[in-house]
Amino acid sequence: TPPDPPQRLVDLEPVAEQYGLVYEKSPLMTQRELATESIVGLSRSVEGSGQVAPAVYQLAFSDELGLYEPLLTNENPASDWQGDWYLVVKVEDQPSRTPELEEVRDQVVEAWKRQEAAQKALLEAKKLAEEFEASDQSFEEFFEGRDIEVITTDLFSRKEFPNGPGQNEAPLLSAGFGLENVGADFLDEVFNLEGDAAQALMNFDQSTAYVVQIRDRERTKNELRNLFLREAN
């Protein structure tokens, strides 16, 4: 049985004050929350010799990072611009379990209501998409006067390099172009749209139903295909 950790590791706030560092203790987080809602979770270890260092959200849920084991990380250790540094310590680790219904009844009811509302919203969006395609109005004209927000996004690709190409990192799904919580399936459907067609799509957390139409493309599919073949040759 391991001994209790020293107080200096249990509470890092005095150490942070001693060295003039910003101290923050996060709540318990799932791996997905750590990867999507935490800047520290996306920072990467500066230890090791691999081309792409593992991120905190990966290490925290593996055997490589034990409790009270300090880990030095950086926002972008492989780049000339490294950003902020972090000293990360995992102080608690709860194994996953299936809770009893009484513990989560309120959340289950709320999730069921949200799921039912999402299905109704998607049906309404499909109806609007069909009515729009049957009309001769523009997208803005069709939705004018309805209690529906019309968003025109910037041009975006299906995937992007967050730190620019050539940084020895894999491209990630595009984000931050104006639509909330859209994932791979959503983007696949968008990039398969042809002409002026409209389609109803739900984002991955089922919080919003969208009616989507492609307004403009930077290049046609034939132009993209020719570019690809030219670069390949």
Side-chain angles (χ1 to χ4, degrees), residues 25-49:
K25 184 175 181 179
S26 72
L28 283 168
M29 305 178 79
T30 64
Q31 187 173 38
R32 181 178 176 275
E33 288 171 337
L34 199 57
T36 59
E37 301 175 14
S38 169
I39 296 175
V40 177
L42 291 174
S43 67
R44 296 184 176 274
S45 170
V46 298
E47 302 170 9
S49 57

Side-chain angles (χ1 to χ4, degrees), residues 28-35 55-65 90 92-96:
L28 283 168
M29 305 178 79
T30 64
Q31 187 173 38
R32 181 178 176 275
E33 288 171 337
L34 199 57
V56 170
Y57 76 86
Q58 296 168 316
L59 292 171
F61 287 83
S62 72
D63 295 332
E64 296 183 52
L65 186 64
K90 181 169 66 171
E92 188 176 352
D93 193 353
Q94 288 190 4
S96 61

Side-chain angles (χ1 to χ4, degrees), residues 7-120:
Q7 186 63 27
R8 187 176 171 86
L9 278 179
V10 174
D11 183 7
L12 293 174
E13 191 166 11
V15 179
E17 290 180 359
Q18 180 181 348
Y19 292 99
L21 304 176
V22 176
Y23 169 81
E24 179 180 325
K25 184 175 181 179
S26 72
L28 283 168
M29 305 178 79
T30 64
Q31 187 173 38
R32 181 178 176 275
E33 288 171 337
L34 199 57
T36 59
E37 301 175 14
S38 169
I39 296 175
V40 177
L42 291 174
S43 67
R44 296 184 176 274
S45 170
V46 298
E47 302 170 9
S49 57
Q51 283 189 332
V52 180
V56 170
Y57 76 86
Q58 296 168 316
L59 292 171
F61 287 83
S62 72
D63 295 332
E64 296 183 52
L65 186 64
L67 289 176
Y68 304 106
E69 180 182 346
L71 174 70
L72 187 62
T73 69
N74 187 273
E75 282 187 289
N76 194 13
S79 171
D80 292 336
W81 178 83
Q82 293 187 328
D84 290 331
W85 291 76
Y86 303 97
L87 181 60
V88 180
V89 178
K90 181 169 66 171
V91 297
E92 188 176 352
D93 193 353
Q94 288 190 4
S96 61
R97 69 182 183 90
T98 302
E100 298 295 331
L101 177 60
E102 289 306 316
E103 297 179 57
V104 293
R105 181 180 296 276
D106 290 345
Q107 293 97 309
V108 171
V109 171
E110 181 63 30
W112 177 79
K113 289 180 178 179
R114 188 165 57 247
Q115 187 176 38
E116 291 296 303
Q119 293 305 311
K120 291 181 179 180

Side-chain angles (χ1 to χ4, degrees), residues 191-226:
F191 280 92
N192 284 330
L193 285 172
E194 299 286 350
D196 295 330
Q199 185 169 349
L201 297 171
M202 183 70 71
N203 61 355
F204 65 73
D205 68 350
Q206 296 193 325
S207 61
T208 307
Y210 290 98
V211 179
V212 183
Q213 181 195 41
I214 296 292
R215 171 61 54 85
D216 193 19
R217 294 181 185 269
E218 189 173 26
R219 294 185 178 92
T220 65
K221 288 187 176 181
N222 280 335
E223 288 173 335
L224 289 172
R225 188 178 294 110
N226 290 335

